[in-house]
């Protein structure tokens, strides 16, 4: 089957975190339409097993393919770490990328002293995938993984600017600073939403790497090479929103309010999908 270049791109995450990647795709690829799925009924993925996360990701991939997408971006580190390899073999009909490899590339390049912190969910850190990619790209580097299980609920709750969040950030980031890391990968797509407070705690000598930017770049390259870039269309300011569609497995109203607060658009159509339809 040959893919049509004006089909949308499927993007998914366990919840709102993948919106940080969707936003970057909208910026770098303004002609593309996105179909986003946030698995809000089953968030968080970070404390679940490889098998469970892979099964959820398989269900979502099947759902996105039923909507006829030309490519899939796994905008979730946990799902990228656990499921990307398996799913790209199971679904060879569309190109699929994750966020871990682009993030590792950017961090390897950014670090001066080779001491790199990776913050992510317990699943992402346990998978060891960042470490594998980082030491593959840059064998001299030392990788310090730090699981931050309280970050996702804080973000989903909208507490990014709460003093409690600052205290939690200290608990997770201070041990990395004790190891003199000069670079920290935001290895969970929810974490860019805590960037300001992480930056403040980490200080000016530490570079924060957000894999979303690199992921959008890699997507652009993949679409260009596959002759799959959408035709140029009219823009509203810097962004074009009109044809993006958002699906969630629960709480469409709350998701819409959150998405509106981070995506610079006025109104987002969000549809609830019962996970049982999978
Ligand atoms: N945003 C996701 C990630 O990048 C998952 C967070 C979670 O569901 O635990 O890992």
């Amino acid at each position: 089957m040959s893919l049509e270049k004006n089909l949308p791109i499927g993007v998914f995450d366990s919840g709102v975190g993948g919106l940080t990647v969707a936003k970057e795709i909208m910026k770098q690829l303004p002609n593309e339409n996105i179909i986003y799925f946030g698995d809000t009924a089953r968030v968080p993925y970070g404390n679940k097993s490889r098998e469970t996360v892979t099964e959820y990701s398989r269900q979502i991939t099947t759902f996105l393919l039923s909507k006829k997408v030309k490519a899939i971006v796994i905008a979730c580190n946990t799902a990228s770490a656990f499921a990307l390899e398996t799913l790209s073999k199971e679904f060879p009909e569309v190109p699929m990328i994750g966020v871990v490899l682009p993030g590792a590339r950017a961090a390897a390049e950014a670090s001066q002293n080779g001491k790199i912190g990776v913050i992510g969910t317990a699943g992402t850190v346990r998978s060891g995938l960042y470490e594998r990619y980082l030491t593959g790209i840059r064998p001299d580097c030392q990788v310090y993984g730090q699981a931050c299980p309280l970050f996702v609920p804080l973000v989903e709750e909208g507490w990014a600017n709460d003093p409690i969040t600052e205290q939690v950030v200290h608990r997770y980031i201070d041990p990395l600073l004790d190891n003199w890391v000069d670079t920290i990968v935001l290895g969970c797509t929810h974490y860019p939403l805590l960037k300001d407070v992480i930056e403040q705690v980490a200080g000016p000598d530490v570079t924060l790497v957000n894999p979303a930017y690199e992921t959008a770049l890699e997507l652009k390259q993949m679409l260009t090479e596959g002759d799959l870039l959408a035709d140029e269309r009219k823009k509203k300011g810097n962004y074009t929103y009109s044809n993006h569609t958002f699906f969630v497995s629960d709480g469409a109203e709350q998701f819409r309010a959150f998405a509106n607060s981070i995506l610079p658009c006025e109104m987002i159509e969000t549809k609830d999908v019962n996970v049982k339809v999978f």
Side-chain angles (χ1 to χ4, degrees), residues 176-251:
L176 295 175
L177 302 178
D178 290 344
N179 282 310
W180 299 101
V181 301
D182 72 350
T183 302
I184 296 178
V185 185
L186 304 178
C188 171
T189 53
H190 281 69
Y191 298 177
L193 298 164
L194 298 175
K195 189 165 177 262
D196 289 352
V197 55
I198 297 173
E199 210 157 51
Q200 196 183 310
V201 169
D205 298 335
V206 175
T207 305
L208 299 186
V209 169
N210 175 4
Y213 176 80
E214 307 294 327
T215 303
L217 265 186
E218 189 172 317
L219 175 67
K220 189 173 183 177
Q221 192 182 343
M222 188 180 83
L223 295 177
T224 308
E225 282 167 11
D227 196 19
L228 283 172
L229 280 175
D231 292 327
E232 188 130 357
R233 59 194 178 94
K234 283 195 180 130
K235 289 189 205 167
K236 276 187 206 159
N238 287 329
Y239 295 87
T240 38
Y241 303 107
S242 47
N243 294 319
H244 302 314
T245 315
F246 296 81
F247 292 92
V248 289
S249 47
D250 199 8

Side-chain angles (χ1 to χ4, degrees), residues 23-274:
K23 184 177 172 182
E24 200 51 53
I25 296 172
M26 290 174 191
K27 232 194 250 179
Q28 293 190 38
L29 293 160
N31 298 316
E32 303 294 337
N33 293 325
I34 290 173
I35 295 193
Y36 184 94
F37 186 91
D39 198 0
T40 43
R42 304 189 290 197
V43 66
Y45 281 8
N47 54 8
K48 296 190 170 69
S49 67
R50 175 183 291 273
E51 291 70 29
T52 300
V53 172
T54 303
E55 180 50 26
Y56 290 174
S57 305
R58 181 180 290 119
Q59 292 169 351
I60 297 167
T61 301
T62 307
F63 171 77
L64 291 172
L65 289 176
S66 77
K67 299 282 166 207
K68 306 226 179 312
V69 293
K70 65 179 174 186
I72 291 181
V73 178
I74 305 187
C76 170
N77 287 264
T78 315
S80 301
F82 282 156
L84 175 63
E85 228 171 278
T86 306
L87 296 185
S88 15
K89 283 187 201 131
E90 286 179 20
F91 298 95
E93 59 270 49
V94 283
M96 220 181 252
I97 62 167
V99 284
V100 175
L101 184 56
R105 279 201 197 109
E109 200 167 309
S111 178
Q112 303 284 322
N113 70 3
K115 292 176 188 291
I116 300 172
V118 175
I119 55 173
T121 66
T124 299
V125 171
R126 199 173 64 239
S127 78
L129 194 62
Y130 267 108
E131 186 160 7
R132 210 172 85 201
Y133 283 145
L134 278 164
T135 49
I137 300 165
R138 192 171 161 175
D140 69 309
C141 75
Q142 279 170 284
V143 182
Y144 302 89
Q146 174 69 57
C148 308
L150 293 178
F151 281 2
V152 169
L154 288 168
V155 169
E156 294 276 332
E157 202 57 36
W159 285 17
N161 297 314
D162 195 281
I164 287 178
T165 305
E166 191 181 327
Q167 285 183 31
V168 175
V169 170
H170 267 291
R171 285 289 280 269
Y172 292 138
I173 300 298
D174 289 353
L176 295 175
L177 302 178
D178 290 344
N179 282 310
W180 299 101
V181 301
D182 72 350
T183 302
I184 296 178
V185 185
L186 304 178
C188 171
T189 53
H190 281 69
Y191 298 177
L193 298 164
L194 298 175
K195 189 165 177 262
D196 289 352
V197 55
I198 297 173
E199 210 157 51
Q200 196 183 310
V201 169
D205 298 335
V206 175
T207 305
L208 299 186
V209 169
N210 175 4
Y213 176 80
E214 307 294 327
T215 303
L217 265 186
E218 189 172 317
L219 175 67
K220 189 173 183 177
Q221 192 182 343
M222 188 180 83
L223 295 177
T224 308
E225 282 167 11
D227 196 19
L228 283 172
L229 280 175
D231 292 327
E232 188 130 357
R233 59 194 178 94
K234 283 195 180 130
K235 289 189 205 167
K236 276 187 206 159
N238 287 329
Y239 295 87
T240 38
Y241 303 107
S242 47
N243 294 319
H244 302 314
T245 315
F246 296 81
F247 292 92
V248 289
S249 47
D250 199 8
E253 208 44 59
Q254 198 186 342
F255 178 89
R256 184 166 34 244
F258 196 96
N260 272 330
S261 74
I262 69 157
L263 298 177
C265 56
E266 283 154 28
M267 177 64 202
I268 296 164
E269 184 79 47
T270 311
K271 297 172 192 159
D272 253 315
V273 179
N274 188 333

